[in-house]
Structures are given as C-alpha cells and as structure tokens.
Amino acid sequence: QEQLVESGGDSVQAGGSLRLTCVVSGSTYRHYCMAWFRQAPGKKREGVATIDPDRTTVYADSVKGRFTISQDNAKNILYLQMNNLKPEDTDMYYCAAALGCPAERMEWLFPYNFGYWGQGTQVTVSS
C-alpha cells in the first residue's frame, strides 16, 4: 500500500516562498504520475501541478511562473517550490499519485485520475 506524507506547509507573508515535500513509499515510484492539489474548506479540490515519469510538467494557470514541481526519484520525494506567494494561495495542499498519467494532458490536473493521496499540509499566506 503506497503512503504519501506531505510536509513543509507554514504561514508566510505575501511575496514569500515555501517548499512542500511529499515522501512516497512504494517500489514503483519511478512509474508514478505525481501531482499537487489544493483545497479550501467547502471548495472543490484544485489541480496545481503534475509531473510524469519523463518529467513533463503541467501547471494550473494561476501558479504558472511562480510554482515549480520536481522530483527526486532516487529518494522517492516530490517537491513543490512556491515563490511569490499570494493570499489566494492559502489552502490545504495534497500530494497525489497515479500509476501513469492520463493519455490526454488536459486531464492531468483532475483529482479523479489519482488514486493515492496524502493527508495534506496547510499553507497560509497573509497580506
């Protein structure tokens, strides 16, 4: 059973930076499609960024140019570097994994394509 454990969430001021980390257990990590999602209470879970085993990436328009998804396959770790944070980035951030990315890249940011989830880490950005 794969386990995903996030860390790195914190409270920062607008314009600041954070790096989220997701440690994944599971021998097939290098084949996974990995993603970050975020969700506020009462709202839908929103795709933030996805990376496939070939390191191709997809980003939500709201974070392009500010966030970077990356992974260390040797250590089974997924990262999300978040720069120039804005108050609207305040959310619970979740790491997710799937055994392969969907064939259509436009599907990469939809949560129903991912079967493994972490517990989340809270990011709060104050103005």
Side-chain angles (χ1 to χ4, degrees):
Q1 181 72 22
E2 281 70 15
Q3 264 197 318
L4 286 66
V5 180
E6 305 96 332
S7 62
D10 205 343
S11 296
V12 297
Q13 290 197 321
S17 297
L18 285 174
R19 188 174 80 159
L20 304 184
T21 298
C22 174
V23 178
V24 183
S25 64
S27 60
T28 56
Y29 173 80
R30 65 186 181 278
H31 301 302
Y32 288 169
C33 182
M34 299 297 303
W36 288 97
F37 289 81
R38 62 188 183 185
Q39 187 173 23
K43 292 193 174 180
K44 285 186 185 177
R45 192 162 291 190
E46 173 192 24
V48 174
T50 300
I51 186 167
D52 80 351
D54 294 326
R55 302 181 187 268
T56 300
T57 57
V58 168
Y59 293 92
D61 289 342
S62 59
V63 306
K64 278 180 186 173
R66 300 188 298 122
F67 291 11
T68 303
I69 188 171
S70 62
Q71 59 190 1
D72 183 336
N73 287 345
K75 297 181 180 177
N76 288 8
I77 299 176
L78 178 73
Y79 301 102
L80 184 68
Q81 178 65 42
M82 305 187 294
N83 297 328
N84 191 21
L85 282 160
K86 303 176 180 181
E88 52 264 42
D89 294 318
T90 295
D91 269 321
M92 185 72 79
Y93 283 72
Y94 297 91
C95 172
L99 294 176
C101 286
E104 292 292 332
R105 200 166 294 182
M106 63 186 295
E107 291 282 321
W108 285 20
L109 293 177
F110 288 93
Y112 55 72
N113 289 312
F114 293 84
Y116 304 105
W117 293 87
Q119 296 297 313
T121 186
Q122 178 67 39
V123 172
T124 303
V125 184
S126 57
S127 57

